[in-house]
Amino acid sequence: MKKIYYIALLTSVLLAMYISPAFAQMPGMPYMPYVKAATITALSCGTATVSPTTVYAGASYSGTATVPYTGGNGLTYPAGAVVASTGVTGLTATLQAGTLASGAGNLTYTLSGTPSGAGTATFAISFGGRSCSFSVTVSAYIIPATITLLQSQKYMVASIYDNNYLPYTAPTSAATTGKLDVGSTSTLIDVPGSIPTTGITVYIPATATGDGTLAAFSSTITIPAAMTEDGISRSLTLSWASQAYTSSTTSITATLAAVSGTLNAKKLDINAGIGNDYLGVLLGSFSYPYNNAGATTTYQVRDIAGIPDRMFGKYDIGNTTTYEHNFIYVPVTGEDGKIWLNNNLGADYANVSSTSFSPGTQATSATDYHAYGSLFQWGRCPDGHELISWTSGAAGTHKYSAVSGQSATDTPTSASYLYGGFYDWRSTKNDNLWQGEAGTNNPCPSGFRVPTAAELTSLVTAAGISSATYVAASKLLFSNAGGIDYSTGDIDSPGYFGGYWSSTVKDLWASCCQFSSVTGSYNVGRTYGFSVRCLGN
């Protein structure tokens, strides 16, 4: 027992020598250093300031709180523990490391998180033997009464890795991140999809009835590691800066950005990673306010293995040895808020066999011939007649021949382009060839269809396309592939105008949208050849 007592006594003496300046400087005793804590005499939470001052419910927040103190002893101090908010929860305050003034100064806390609602978020802090509480007012984020944002928006990331995808069949179940080998080895498709920290500009369609200013907004979600290619969980932020709008505004500008490192989306298998809704798999979902009543909606970020062409992995009647329609497209949201394909049918960027293959790439200009794609006769299926070999923004040739004549059936027995019939390539018209996804000769991929004239007009209006000069400024990045003359079968004026078919018919004609010196909807003969841009169901 005495031994234990002496050990305890010695420990106490040594500890006292270490922490007491009096002990350390006693005559005859060697000098020993001591630790002195950072202390203050008062902490003034009542005069704490927060920056930025505006904190919105349901929106991610990042800022600082400055808390004054007096009686600082001039010593340094480490970063403090995380303090969670009470009242309105969801925010945290973390003391930043620093050095006290010898007297009065300020402590700095980092604030972050997403407030659970409107009201008061309170933080109970302690430092240097003193405690107090400061508060942050959380406001409800209110959209001005003169603007309403469109609901249920989506952003699609195409991320693909597959070398075993043929034969391809349209999906009948939900998309997964798994692999589905279906046959022999195919040409490798390796397309990494990512969202950088520098951000991607996105647009949320809006309807405005007057002028005003939309306040800044930001929301952050976490993407799980299982949904990334590198197995690293990333945070993702959807935000928009404060921006003015007018009664003519059709969308607001926002940014989608990864935090602390690029988000590399999981690479998906073509047969497994599309899904019967043609929306791929969900990476994450934001909530954002959309109207003056404070209602919220979702902005989904989705990962998809592209959208294969309707003739993907199939022969056409012009070639029974080579797959000429192995095109992969990416779904994008147009200015009208609807899902479209990002490229024209047959675009070089979508062609797996092309050296320009890059399915996420769109027209870099109105005369980018890699984005021109195919030129269809209205109502014909993709049988090869539409394929064009482009050599420049102003020149191209038919992949197969162009011959004078008509067809007595919905499916000609030749891949030749049929010219000479002003009204129709078919000897007896059929108005139902391109009507909806179930149309007899619908050229669009499963889940997509040729838009109606009204839908094309709505998109063009929302995108503000007034002439051929502005087509590549739209989200769909149209291009001016020209057309094919009904009387000669010659490719007409590529680079100068763009023609896009609709599914709408009127009497003997069909409706198209032409981007020229004046953009508009026209009824023309079905023998003409124009581009097709597909709309999701």
Side-chain angles (χ1 to χ4, degrees):
M1 292 295 292
K2 288 183 178 181
K3 184 177 181 180
I4 295 173
Y5 172 77
Y6 287 133
I7 291 174
L9 179 61
L10 179 60
T11 299
S12 299
V13 171
L14 290 174
L15 181 61
M17 290 169 61
Y18 184 70
I19 65 174
S20 171
F23 239 140
Q25 299 174 23
M26 287 179 61
M29 294 292 291
Y31 175 79
M32 297 184 68
Y34 64 93
V35 175
K36 187 175 182 182
T39 60
I40 56 177
T41 59
L43 197 57
S44 304
C45 282
T47 55
T49 58
V50 173
S51 180
T53 57
T54 303
V55 186
Y56 289 118
S60 57
Y61 177 80
S62 179
T64 58
T66 302
V67 183
Y69 63 81
T70 55
N73 64 356
L75 296 182
T76 60
Y77 55 91
V82 176
V83 177
S85 62
T86 58
V88 172
T89 58
L91 292 171
T92 59
T94 306
L95 176 66
Q96 297 179 7
T99 300
L100 291 175
S102 296
N106 297 297
L107 300 177
T108 301
Y109 288 81
T110 298
L111 303 181
S112 62
T114 302
S116 59
T120 302
T122 301
F123 302 90
I125 61 173
S126 296
F127 181 87
R130 297 292 181 263
S131 298
C132 66
S133 295
F134 70 90
S135 298
V136 172
T137 299
V138 181
S139 304
Y141 185 93
I142 300 297
I143 298 287
T146 50
I147 189 169
T148 300
L149 307 185
L150 197 63
Q151 302 177 52
S152 304
Q153 294 301 287
K154 300 176 182 67
Y155 179 81
M156 312 290 280
V157 181
S159 194
I160 316 165
Y161 188 92
D162 199 346
N163 64 350
N164 193 306
Y165 45 82
L166 296 178
Y168 169 76
T169 55
T172 57
S173 58
T176 71
T177 58
K179 186 169 179 58
L180 181 61
D181 290 337
V182 294
S184 59
T185 301
S186 311
T187 302
L188 175 64
I189 299 177
D190 185 1
V191 179
S194 63
I195 298 175
T197 56
T198 50
I200 295 171
T201 300
V202 297
Y203 301 90
I204 300 177
T207 300
T209 58
D211 300 349
T213 299
L214 185 67
F217 175 85
S218 178
S219 181
T220 300
I221 59 175
T222 299
I223 308 302
M227 295 306 300
T228 66
E229 184 63 20
D230 50 17
I232 301 175
S233 174
R234 295 291 188 193
S235 292
L236 197 60
T237 297
L238 173 69
S239 63
W240 59 74
S242 175
Q243 53 197 281
Y245 62 87
T246 68
S247 57
S248 61
T249 294
T250 58
S251 67
I252 67 164
T253 303
T255 301
L256 195 62
V259 180
S260 301
T262 299
L263 168 65
N264 296 306
K266 186 80 170 177
K267 291 181 181 179
L268 303 178
D269 180 89
I270 290 176
N271 281 277
I274 297 173
N276 55 358
D277 58 359
Y278 301 94
L279 294 176
V281 294
L282 180 67
L283 288 177
S285 183
F286 295 94
S287 176
Y288 69 91
Y290 69 89
N291 67 8
N292 185 248
T296 60
T297 187
T298 59
Y299 190 102
Q300 294 184 349
V301 181
R302 306 189 70 91
D303 189 6
I304 191 168
I307 300 293
D309 191 88
R310 179 169 289 273
M311 293 289 288
F312 190 85
K314 299 177 182 178
Y315 299 120
D316 59 40
I317 58 177
N319 191 327
T320 58
T321 60
T322 304
Y323 299 124
E324 297 188 304
H325 292 81
N326 275 7
F327 303 111
I328 292 180
Y329 313 97
V330 178
V332 295
T333 302
E335 286 86 350
D336 58 353
K338 297 179 179 179
I339 299 292
W340 297 74
L341 295 186
N342 66 330
N343 275 308
N344 295 346
L345 290 185
D348 212 19
Y349 290 127
N351 189 349
V352 172
S353 302
S354 171
T355 56
S356 299
F357 176 60
S358 178
T361 300
Q362 297 173 270
T364 57
S365 70
T367 56
D368 181 357
Y369 65 95
H370 294 298
Y372 280 178
S374 300
L375 296 176
F376 283 82
Q377 295 187 287
W378 189 93
R380 279 189 75 170
C381 63
D383 53 19
H385 82 281
E386 79 286 0
L387 298 175
I388 306 295
S389 297
W390 296 104
T391 55
S392 73
T397 58
H398 288 279
K399 185 69 178 289
Y400 298 105
S401 61
V403 299
S404 177
Q406 289 180 301
S407 173
T409 67
D410 295 335
T411 53
T413 57
S414 167
S416 296
Y417 191 95
L418 300 175
Y419 67 87
F422 176 74
Y423 296 115
D424 212 334
W425 55 270
R426 202 183 183 290
S427 56
T428 304
K429 74 181 181 75
N430 182 346
D431 291 342
N432 299 312
L433 296 177
W434 277 4
Q435 302 305 314
E437 187 185 0
T440 304
N441 287 344
N442 177 22
C444 296
S446 296
F448 290 78
R449 58 182 173 81
V450 180
T452 65
E455 289 167 332
L456 265 180
T457 298
S458 177
L459 173 69
V460 168
T461 300
I465 302 174
S466 57
S467 72
T469 306
Y470 297 97
V471 295
S474 67
K475 287 183 65 177
L476 298 192
L477 294 173
F478 292 104
S479 54
N480 295 326
I484 298 179
D485 188 279
Y486 78 93
S487 62
T488 63
D490 294 335
I491 298 174
D492 182 26
S493 303
Y496 292 95
F497 81 97
Y500 285 81
W501 281 122
S502 78
S503 62
T504 302
V505 295
K506 180 177 176 58
D507 300 324
L508 298 175
W509 299 274
S511 178
C512 72
C513 179
Q514 289 192 23
F515 303 123
S516 55
S517 57
V518 178
T519 291
S521 181
Y522 300 89
N523 294 317
V524 298
R526 305 179 193 189
T527 309
Y528 280 96
F530 289 130
S531 303
V532 172
R533 185 64 68 92
C534 299
L535 173 65
N537 290 327

